[in-house]
Amino acid sequence: MTSPLTTNQIAWRAAQDIEDGAYVNLGIGLPVRVAQFQPPGREAIFHSENGILGFGAAPAPGDEDWDLINASKKSVTLKPGTAFFDHADSFAMVRGGHLDVAILGAYQVAENGDLANWSTGPRGVPAVGGAMDLVHGARRVAVITDHLTRKGEPKLVHRCTFPLTGLGCINRVYTSHAVVDIEDGRFVLREKLADLSLEALQAITGARLHIPGPVGELTAPEV
Amino acid sequence: MTSPLTTNQIAWRAAQDIEDGAYVNLGIGLPVRVAQFQPPGREAIFHSENGILGFGAAPAPGDEDWDLINASKKSVTLKPGTAFFDHADSFAMVRGGHLDVAILGAYQVAENGDLANWSTGPRGVPAVGGAMDLVHGARRVAVITDHLTRKGEPKLVHRCTFPLTGLGCINRVYTSHAVVDIEDGRFVLREKLADLSLEALQAITGARLHIPGPVGELTAPEV
Amino acid sequence: MDKSLPDLAAAVAGIEDGMSVMIGGFGGSGAPIELIHALIGRFLATGHPRDLTVVNNNSGNGHVGLAAMIEHGMVAKLICSFPRSADPVVFTEQYLAGRIALELVPQGTLAERIRAGGAGIPAFYTPTSYGTDLAAGKPVAEFEGRHYVQERWLKADYALVKAETGDRLGNLTYRMAARNFGPLMCMAARKAIVQVARIVDPGGIDPEAVVTPGIFVQGVVEVADPAQEEALNRAGAAYPGAAA
Amino acid sequence: MDKSLPDLAAAVAGIEDGMSVMIGGFGGSGAPIELIHALIGRFLATGHPRDLTVVNNNSGNGHVGLAAMIEHGMVAKLICSFPRSADPVVFTEQYLAGRIALELVPQGTLAERIRAGGAGIPAFYTPTSYGTDLAAGKPVAEFEGRHYVQERWLKADYALVKAETGDRLGNLTYRMAARNFGPLMCMAARKAIVQVARIVDPGGIDPEAVVTPGIFVQGVVEVADPAQEEALNRAGAAYPGAAA
């Protein structure tokens, strides 16, 4: 069988849908990798909620300036056209709907568009950061994630059981096995691994996959 | 009898109460004149609600830069330490209580601290500007005004009959005849013209003047 | 990405009948005279756009800029704080004749409503106007013993703004007190169109000195030597007319 | 007017037991390490201030700065959005042991609540957190068919902030992404105390480039070569300790 996409390949696949000139926020962790896979000829402008717009890639080790970090607290670089601003202006960009795309990680995504990605329950130290702002902040809010948890449980579910980050906020999910849109409270399958049967995909998905149109082949180069 | 103070003298008197280093907003019209009468050795920092802090005096005629105007739309000048900012930040300074003193004009001031200074009724074109913000914006909100209207009616009244600018917002009134504080819903007389009798002053004042302590002599140099 | 526009006509081409348009400026400082005149030019040539709702701190002065827009009958409603000026005759006559509607908003509330529109804050509470005629019909609430009025966000289809330097990504700086409402209106409009004294390449503005980040700007057009409303009025100009 | 302070001890002298203190920084960028260490120094010498409520985006990292403040037991409650870091052991242990209270606030809501505190806006509505556990007990409202949560302003007795250049009037510039919460916290605190890499005379900062106008600042203290939390942690520093 075709191998599931690696995390880098999921990030690559998500990057292919980002238009030239889009304003994009990439969540902490896996989503940050999306930036490195922008298609040639397209240039997105990345927003980091700590107050930078239009920054560049990571510097060489040893060249870090710790006043120039992204939301993941990793060192980044300046690019021509970078702008700095305070946190209120930064979240005005988010909450005010000025971003084109936000890409987040997930514990669970439900067919009604609910997202759970900030807490797995009452144990431990809770932390939310900007996730609850970002889910309401972009014209298109996407999730990238493995299709299953490490324990083999579906991450695409009927209803989230973990604490919610936002209600009805997710438009598209890129997983290791499929690309799924959320429309009218339903999962709509858009792409799947070539030789993964619908039945097999449905079996590892926690809610019904609808197929109103053609289903493309989910592929990604070695990255 | 001692002459009532001229408008310049009222402005001079109000200026004597502004502490060194105070942040001050002066309303459109008469209050703007207060700036020229700062006592030697004291320097207030003037805020103009269109987005300047710490500006200087008017330039010589012909030297105006029409991007550098105050809230009265008069040309001003830069001073070392001037700062520019947008209208949201400017009214954050006002509404957020960061000003020490605001000095406004008045149609009427009531003994309960209500101010009417933006509209004389439903006729004509209404205009409010920043007045309703400024009355809630400073630690000390003062009024400077003639004691009587041009028709000879009291401007210090029991209750305002003109549309209100703000409720219970005025702390002190400097007039041509007296300095009056507003405390606990009462006019408290602090200073009056030397040979103006209490009875005569009360007769031209629309609510009772209380005298819990010494009453000083209201004087001002020729200015 | 290049947000620069070829000329003023292109800059105002998208504004349609009935739209809401925020126009920057406090009095003449920051008034985007050339953008406004381009819009009037289009109206005189085509009859459109009209029935506009305009948001501006004032109501124009003399017979240029916003005053000329009102004089030519393009504005159905004005949302402003202070519809008076040295020469307010245009607005005053139309208002008293019932030909233009007015929503009067305290200046700080106007600024905050526009910022709220740009920041995704649908409503907020302010002490300003509590107990006055301008709070009539608005919800009130008490917090820690003090009374406040609930105000709603203000958004617009377009903003027409004057700035000083703009790069091709839309990053902006302003000139002195001409900044006033510009940064807020860029945030609150679906499309913010900005005239700048010069367009530079990305990197031409210090990242620390950017006042409006480009994400809030959809178009920049260069007007190298912009007119000042105050100077036009002192010269007795009118638009269209010989002096403007 | 001269808001410059002679030294770090004087800068933090007014902070008393039980006060609320906003501390700038996002992670290590913008963290006012020297001000925090001066405050810890006072606590170690005198036992005060303690029972502080601290507002910061995070909860400290390693054993310097805010983490050291928490480690020494000065903080009764933390208001933050993301109490995790590369080395979160100090906060984690105290939190799980019930020795420190936590109010978790979404990052954008935290920023807006602080701005609201500075801007005299007692409450506002945001879509953020609607329908989640973090909205529990808060009023909600519907505007144009969408649901929002009412959030309250956040103010503090003190703010401790790191900026880049400050003049004697308190005007400030920041350095790159170290700006983050600094301008907001200066607005929202009764007294904003700022460490700057250099103090200049008024006029030494371009009026267009001022990020925080001096009206929001009560004291500036020069720390010419400030430490970076990230660099301290990579060096394994602790405060007080040999490496800090």
Side-chain angles (χ1 to χ4, degrees):
Chain A
M1 193 189 104
T2 327
S3 294
L5 267 51
T6 64
T7 50
N8 269 351
Q9 287 177 311
I10 304 172
W12 178 91
R13 176 62 192 85
Q16 307 314 301
D17 288 348
I18 299 177
E19 308 84 350
D20 185 41
Y23 289 95
V24 181
N25 184 292
L26 301 175
I28 295 177
L30 174 56
V32 166
R33 296 196 211 167
V34 171
Q36 34 185 309
F37 300 121
Q38 288 186 86
R42 282 194 241 163
E43 187 180 16
I45 297 186
F46 293 102
H47 167 268
S48 188
E49 55 265 41
N50 56 318
I52 328 179
L53 190 70
F55 52 94
D63 288 348
E64 296 91 351
D65 183 323
W66 297 111
D67 283 342
L68 185 54
I69 59 174
N70 63 16
S72 302
K73 305 193 176 79
K74 304 297 183 198
S75 174
V76 296
T77 51
L78 291 172
K79 258 171 65 169
T82 300
F84 297 114
F85 35 86
D86 68 34
H87 250 74
D89 284 348
S90 185
F91 280 91
M93 294 177 193
V94 173
R95 204 191 301 105
H98 302 280
L99 295 172
D100 295 298
V101 182
I103 301 182
L104 300 163
Y107 298 143
Q108 294 174 321
V109 184
E111 63 182 350
N112 61 0
D114 290 358
L115 171 69
N117 81 343
W118 72 282
S119 168
T120 52
R123 293 177 51 186
V125 177
V128 64
M132 287 191 185
D133 304 284
L134 284 164
V135 294
H136 297 292
R139 294 186 190 94
R140 200 152 62 76
V141 182
V143 155
I144 63 177
T145 178
D146 279 326
H147 204 85
L148 296 169
T149 67
R150 284 178 201 171
K151 290 184 182 169
E153 291 163 347
K155 297 185 87 167
L156 278 67
V157 296
H158 172 60
R159 291 292 180 269
C160 295
T161 54
F162 290 138
L164 295 179
T165 305
L167 275 60
C169 54
I170 302 300
N171 306 115
R172 175 167 273 205
V173 186
Y174 302 93
T175 80
S176 46
H177 291 64
V179 176
V180 174
D181 283 343
I182 294 173
E183 292 178 359
D184 303 322
R186 309 187 311 172
F187 285 136
V188 174
L189 182 64
R190 297 299 182 196
E191 296 179 13
K192 66 173 183 60
L193 296 173
D195 57 1
L196 177 68
S197 72
L198 282 172
E199 292 69 26
L201 182 61
Q202 182 64 71
I204 57 171
T205 304
R208 185 157 164 226
L209 291 165
H210 295 261
I211 307 173
V215 175
E217 185 179 334
L218 174 59
T219 60
E222 297 296 322
V223 287
Chain B
M1 191 189 101
T2 330
S3 295
L5 267 51
T6 64
T7 49
N8 269 350
Q9 287 177 310
I10 304 171
W12 178 90
R13 176 62 193 85
Q16 307 315 300
D17 287 349
I18 299 177
E19 308 85 350
D20 186 40
Y23 288 97
V24 180
N25 184 292
L26 302 175
I28 296 177
L30 173 56
V32 165
R33 296 195 211 169
V34 170
Q36 38 188 303
F37 300 120
Q38 287 186 85
R42 281 194 242 163
E43 187 180 17
I45 296 185
F46 293 102
H47 168 267
S48 187
E49 54 266 43
N50 56 319
I52 328 178
L53 190 69
F55 51 94
D63 288 348
E64 296 92 351
D65 184 324
W66 298 111
D67 283 342
L68 185 54
I69 59 175
N70 64 16
S72 302
K73 305 194 176 79
K74 305 296 184 199
S75 174
V76 296
T77 51
L78 291 172
K79 256 171 67 168
T82 300
F84 297 115
F85 35 85
D86 69 35
H87 250 74
D89 284 349
S90 184
F91 281 90
M93 294 176 193
V94 174
R95 204 190 302 105
H98 302 280
L99 296 171
D100 295 298
V101 182
I103 300 182
L104 300 162
Y107 298 143
Q108 294 173 323
V109 185
E111 63 182 348
N112 61 0
D114 290 358
L115 171 69
N117 81 342
W118 72 281
S119 168
T120 52
R123 292 178 51 186
V125 178
V128 63
M132 287 190 185
D133 304 284
L134 284 164
V135 293
H136 297 292
R139 294 187 189 94
R140 199 152 61 80
V141 182
V143 155
I144 63 175
T145 178
D146 279 326
H147 205 85
L148 296 169
T149 68
R150 285 179 200 170
K151 290 183 181 169
E153 291 164 347
K155 298 185 87 168
L156 278 66
V157 296
H158 172 59
R159 290 292 180 268
C160 294
T161 55
F162 290 138
L164 294 180
T165 304
L167 276 59
C169 53
I170 302 301
N171 306 114
R172 174 168 273 206
V173 187
Y174 302 93
T175 81
S176 46
H177 291 65
V179 176
V180 174
D181 283 342
I182 295 173
E183 291 178 358
D184 303 323
R186 311 187 309 173
F187 286 135
V188 174
L189 183 64
R190 297 299 182 197
E191 296 180 14
K192 66 174 182 60
L193 296 173
D195 57 2
L196 176 68
S197 71
L198 281 171
E199 293 69 24
L201 181 63
Q202 183 65 71
I204 57 171
T205 304
R208 184 156 166 229
L209 291 165
H210 294 262
I211 307 173
V215 175
E217 183 180 334
L218 174 60
T219 59
E222 296 296 321
V223 287
Chain C
M1 182 186 284
D2 186 352
K3 296 182 181 174
S4 65
L5 300 166
D7 54 42
L8 288 161
V12 300
I15 301 177
E16 297 171 12
D17 290 357
M19 279 187 170
S20 53
V21 183
M22 292 177 170
I23 299 181
F26 175 85
S29 65
I33 295 289
E34 285 78 5
L35 282 171
I36 298 171
H37 287 180
L39 196 61
I40 296 173
R42 212 184 110 208
F43 173 77
L44 293 176
T46 68
H48 308 282
R50 57 196 174 78
D51 294 327
L52 299 174
T53 293
V54 168
V55 181
N56 180 268
N57 189 63
N58 303 99
S59 61
N61 191 7
H63 302 272
V64 297
L66 176 56
M69 236 179 117
I70 293 169
E71 189 161 33
H72 290 295
M74 300 168 68
V75 183
K77 180 180 179 183
L78 183 67
I79 301 175
C80 83
S81 88
F82 202 78
R84 284 190 202 145
S85 66
D87 178 5
V89 63
V90 165
F91 176 81
T92 303
E93 285 187 357
Q94 291 217 12
Y95 176 75
L96 295 179
R99 289 199 299 272
I100 189 167
L102 172 67
E103 180 180 341
L104 192 71
V105 182
Q107 194 172 337
T109 298
L110 183 64
E112 191 68 12
R113 288 179 61 193
I114 297 169
R115 180 196 177 268
I121 303 291
F124 60 90
Y125 289 92
T126 173
T128 301
S129 92
Y130 177 78
T132 77
D133 294 352
L134 295 190
K138 294 179 179 173
V140 296
E142 188 175 327
F143 298 100
E144 284 118 43
R146 201 170 160 196
H147 292 90
Y148 298 88
V149 179
Q150 186 192 96
E151 296 281 355
R152 296 296 314 281
W153 63 12
L154 196 55
K155 302 191 193 197
D157 295 305
Y158 272 80
L160 300 180
V161 165
K162 180 185 189 177
E164 181 67 3
T165 303
D167 72 19
R168 293 178 196 284
L169 302 176
N171 292 307
L172 304 176
T173 68
Y174 297 83
R175 186 166 182 276
M176 300 199 279
R179 187 183 303 191
N180 55 68
F181 283 91
L184 313 176
M185 290 180 169
C186 286
M187 293 169 70
R190 202 162 44 75
K191 285 188 186 291
I193 306 297
V194 184
Q195 65 169 76
V196 297
R198 64 190 158 275
I199 295 179
V200 298
D201 285 328
I205 302 175
D206 178 355
E208 304 280 7
V210 170
V211 174
T212 294
I215 194 171
F216 295 131
V217 173
Q218 284 66 47
V220 289
V221 59
E222 190 169 282
V223 176
D225 191 18
Q228 281 284 0
E229 185 183 278
E230 182 75 25
L232 292 178
N233 281 328
R234 288 179 175 228
Y239 185 83
Chain D
M1 182 186 283
D2 186 351
K3 296 181 181 174
S4 64
L5 301 166
D7 54 41
L8 288 161
V12 300
I15 301 176
E16 297 171 11
D17 289 358
M19 278 190 171
S20 54
V21 183
M22 291 177 172
I23 299 182
F26 174 86
S29 65
I33 295 290
E34 285 77 8
L35 282 171
I36 298 171
H37 287 182
L39 196 61
I40 297 172
R42 211 184 110 209
F43 173 78
L44 293 175
T46 68
H48 308 281
R50 55 195 175 79
D51 294 327
L52 299 174
T53 293
V54 168
V55 181
N56 180 268
N57 188 63
N58 303 101
S59 61
N61 191 7
H63 301 271
V64 298
L66 176 56
M69 236 177 117
I70 294 169
E71 190 161 33
H72 289 295
M74 300 168 68
V75 183
K77 180 180 177 183
L78 182 67
I79 301 176
C80 83
S81 87
F82 203 78
R84 284 190 201 146
S85 66
D87 178 5
V89 63
V90 165
F91 177 81
T92 303
E93 284 186 359
Q94 292 218 12
Y95 177 74
L96 295 179
R99 287 199 301 271
I100 187 167
L102 172 67
E103 180 180 342
L104 192 72
V105 182
Q107 194 172 337
T109 298
L110 182 64
E112 191 67 13
R113 287 179 63 192
I114 297 169
R115 179 195 176 269
I121 303 290
F124 60 89
Y125 288 93
T126 173
T128 302
S129 91
Y130 177 76
T132 76
D133 294 352
L134 296 189
K138 295 179 179 172
V140 296
E142 187 175 327
F143 298 101
E144 284 118 42
R146 202 171 161 196
H147 292 91
Y148 298 88
V149 178
Q150 186 192 96
E151 296 282 357
R152 297 296 315 281
W153 63 13
L154 196 55
K155 302 192 194 198
D157 294 305
Y158 271 80
L160 299 180
V161 166
K162 179 186 188 177
E164 180 66 5
T165 303
D167 71 18
R168 294 179 196 285
L169 302 176
N171 293 307
L172 303 177
T173 68
Y174 296 82
R175 185 166 182 275
M176 301 200 280
R179 187 183 303 192
N180 56 69
F181 284 90
L184 312 175
M185 290 179 170
C186 286
M187 293 169 69
R190 201 162 45 75
K191 285 188 187 290
I193 305 297
V194 184
Q195 66 169 75
V196 297
R198 64 189 158 275
I199 294 180
V200 298
D201 286 328
I205 302 176
D206 178 355
E208 305 280 7
V210 170
V211 175
T212 294
I215 194 170
F216 295 130
V217 174
Q218 283 67 47
V220 289
V221 59
E222 190 168 282
V223 177
D225 191 17
Q228 281 284 358
E229 184 183 278
E230 182 75 26
L232 293 178
N233 280 327
R234 288 180 176 228
Y239 184 83

